[in-house]
Amino acid sequence: MVLSAIIGAFSDEYKKSPVRVKVLDAFLIYAVATAGLQFAYMILVGTFPFNAFLAGFLSCVGFFALTVCLRMQVDPANKDFAGISPERAFADYCLANLVLHLVVWNYMG
Amino acid sequence: IMARPLLLPLVLLAALGVTSASKSVLVLLQNVNTADKYSKFFGSLRDYGFDVSVKGVKDSTLKLKEYGTWLYDDLVLFAPQTEGFGGKIDRQVILDFVDSGHNVLMALNSDASESMRNLAAEFGIDVDDRGSKVYDHFSHATLNGKEDHTLIAGGNIVDVPVMVGGPYKEPVLFRGIASVIPGDAELATVALGAPSTSYSHAPKQAMLEPPSLMVGSSISLVTAVQARNNARVVVAGSLEMFTDDFFDAVVTVNGVSTHTANWAFTVTLARWAFQDRGVLVASNMRHHLLGSDEQPWGYRVNDDVEFLVDVVEVDGGVPKPFAADDIQLEFIMLNPYIRQPLQHDGNGTFSLRFKVPDVYGVFKYYIDYAHCGYSYIKLTHQVPVRPFKHNEYERFLVCAYPYYASAISIMVGFFALGFFYLYNK
């Protein structure tokens, strides 16, 4: 009972967040799902090209982390980052992703 | 008698094949005038190309070594009773002689002196006490009508044709003293073992009990030792087995009259002892990657390589290709990662193809061949094995496709996110 009340209150509040934030959340879920699929595959098949597994897995995890940071900077309800414009946040996000994917493909082998 | 028809062609073969100077043998007898007793033995050795010099053991001009060079290649000691040697020969000189790669053939009898027994002990052979004889009440022979229980005619000849010759139908006659070697001896072989019904006993003393009493098949009548430097020492417990009388004897064993195999046995064993038979020479050790001919400085893990070595058996100075299936090659780094027998091609070239293990480090090729009767082959060669270079790893593995797909999909997601973020109102 209490659980369904919590979930109801949460979803009501969540619907009020801006579209931008909700889209970022969708991509976050996508990244977690991809990471979970890779992990299940590794459990089944074994760790043979371990560097490839780590590269794929950490590309998902790194993307997740960077998108969380972008969401934090862009969410209007978050007062800590009031001085940073969304464009600046996005520019930082792009640079970080560039470095992440460079490292991922180098390690993929 | 058995060897006579073979002597002439062998002499011709020896004359054609021997390229180096004939090997010189020094024979020391108790009394040099008794050399006729062994005329057939020395005659056969001379027919095989040995230069035999017979001297008395107390001769004051005896010397084995002069100004740092050895004057003889082989030493024969047919003086079991002697306590010391004349001239400049003594126990230490004989030991140095063997240490420098030369060979000794020793014959003892029941009156073997302490110094002879100690010399045999230096080679790892424990000779029984002075005065003891080998008795056998079941396998003895009757010679010239006299039954003698110390005349052993049923000894077990070791099955190593290169050392003692082919299967013998006739017995080898023996009368003398027993020896034992440790059961786990690596360098010593029993060339002629006593029959299981024999024992060793000194008639003037009280009978011992086993295990101090030497019995049965633990008694060695003739022992052959090959030292780690491939020098050979043969200690025979009976001096009489080398005499013409025993070569020509017709004896009765268990009612059956038979000749003896002493001539062929002792001459073949003496030739083995003087490194005239069963000498292996390994040479031209080489290795290469399959598909290339040059010898690399080292390998990479998982390389396919081939190892080759030429082994030649020298018989009477004539080299001929060696054929055996049990020469083993090890590829070792602390533990042997590869241990396989080499295959020979019939021409004396032994080879093996194998895949370098998936471990990098400094390995060595190791051959340690110790087949009974043949000289030891010990070869090692170090070879470094390197890991993969960064561009030698396998790429685009099928089993890693899901990982490639996920990384690509994340990049596509990032691209889509960018589009949405920048262009939505």
Side-chain angles (χ1 to χ4, degrees), chain B residues 104-122:
Chain B
V104 172
L105 169 63
M106 260 173 75
L108 306 169
N109 60 19
S110 300
D111 300 321
S113 68
E114 269 311 294
S115 63
M116 279 299 184
R117 293 182 56 238
N118 288 338
L119 186 60
E122 287 282 349

Side-chain angles (χ1 to χ4, degrees), chain B residues 153 161 210 244 294 339 358 382-383 388 413-414:
Chain B
D244 292 354
E294 49 161 73
R339 183 187 266 163
D358 195 12
Q382 227 178 44
V383 68
F388 284 115
F414 163 70

Side-chain angles (χ1 to χ4, degrees), chain B residues 171-294:
Chain B
V172 175
L173 221 50
F174 175 98
R175 175 157 54 200
I177 196 169
S179 338
V180 284
I181 53 173
D184 56 354
E186 289 174 2
L187 308 176
T189 324
V190 173
L192 181 68
S196 48
T197 45
S198 54
Y199 62 95
S200 168
H201 171 55
K204 295 200 179 98
Q205 288 162 21
M207 191 90 178
L208 293 170
E209 293 285 316
S212 355
L213 178 69
M214 296 181 184
V215 287
S217 41
S218 70
I219 294 180
S220 169
L221 303 178
V222 178
T223 320
V225 180
Q226 184 169 262
R228 288 183 213 277
N229 60 351
N230 285 328
R232 293 170 175 170
V233 174
V234 170
V235 174
S238 165
L239 180 53
E240 281 185 272
M241 68 191 274
F242 296 93
T243 56
D244 292 354
D245 291 337
F246 273 34
F247 284 8
D248 299 332
V250 177
V251 291
T252 314
V253 183
N254 293 334
V256 178
S257 173
T258 169
H259 290 277
T260 65
N262 282 42
W263 198 351
F265 178 82
T266 52
V267 171
T268 314
L269 184 61
R271 283 188 64 213
W272 180 86
F274 300 155
Q275 295 195 31
D276 207 37
R277 283 171 72 98
V279 175
L280 297 179
V281 178
S283 62
N284 200 10
M285 180 173 69
R286 53 208 187 277
H287 57 98
H288 62 97
L289 292 165
L290 287 184
S292 151
D293 264 334
E294 49 161 73

Side-chain angles (χ1 to χ4, degrees), chain A residues 40-60:
Chain A
Y41 178 74
M42 186 275 287
I43 299 276
L44 279 174
V45 177
T47 60
F48 164 53
F50 197 57
N51 55 316
F53 163 67
L54 283 182
F57 192 71
L58 292 180
S59 84
C60 300

Side-chain angles (χ1 to χ4, degrees), chain B residues 62-81:
Chain B
L62 281 182
K63 45 180 182 237
L64 271 182
K65 196 175 194 179
E66 184 160 34
Y67 302 129
T69 11
W70 297 102
L71 299 170
Y72 300 96
D73 291 309
D74 309 298
L75 178 64
V76 174
L77 294 172
F78 276 0
Q81 282 127 309

Side-chain angles (χ1 to χ4, degrees), chain B residues 19 33 36 45 64 80 155 205-206 223 246 293 304 316 340 366 417-418:
Chain B
T19 49
N33 298 326
D36 315 332
L45 288 182
L64 271 182
Q205 288 162 21
T223 320
F246 273 34
D293 264 334
D304 290 309
Q340 290 191 19
Y366 184 59
L417 191 152

Side-chain angles (χ1 to χ4, degrees), chain B residues 10 13-14 17-18 48 162 271 275-280 312-320:
Chain B
L10 279 167
L13 193 64
V18 168
Y48 275 110
V162 72
R271 283 188 64 213
Q275 295 195 31
D276 207 37
R277 283 171 72 98
V279 175
L280 297 179
V312 152
E313 179 184 357
V314 183
D315 190 332
V318 178
K320 56 183 208 267

